[in-house]
Amino acid sequence: MPAQSKAQQKAAGAALGAKRGDTKVSELQGASKEMYESMSEDELEDMASTERKGKPEHKGD
């Protein structure tokens, strides 16, 4: 499932880093924390690797 906004992609990247042990889970907040808890590493990888060009900063934009 590709990211629909740059913010969503950034949150997925932060959650993916925590899944891999690159960052502490305690440093996550908001959407990235929810993604960490509810998505697999493969799902996060897919969302974080979405092409950024043409994406709005936030989903509602």
Side-chain angles (χ1 to χ4, degrees):
M1 148 180 44
Q4 296 178 355
S5 69
K6 292 177 185 177
Q8 193 177 46
Q9 183 188 29
K10 290 176 191 176
L16 181 60
K19 283 264 189 202
R20 292 180 173 169
D22 297 334
T23 58
K24 295 179 182 177
V25 178
S26 61
E27 293 177 5
L28 298 178
Q29 57 186 359
S32 59
K33 190 168 191 169
E34 289 178 29
M35 288 178 172
Y36 173 84
E37 294 169 352
S38 66
M39 297 176 76
S40 71
E41 188 172 330
D42 287 340
E43 291 172 316
L44 290 169
E45 173 79 40
D46 187 40
M47 189 172 282
S49 65
T50 302
E51 177 68 38
R52 292 179 102 178
K53 190 174 184 179
K55 296 282 185 211
E57 187 61 39
H58 295 278
K59 190 174 174 187
D61 290 351

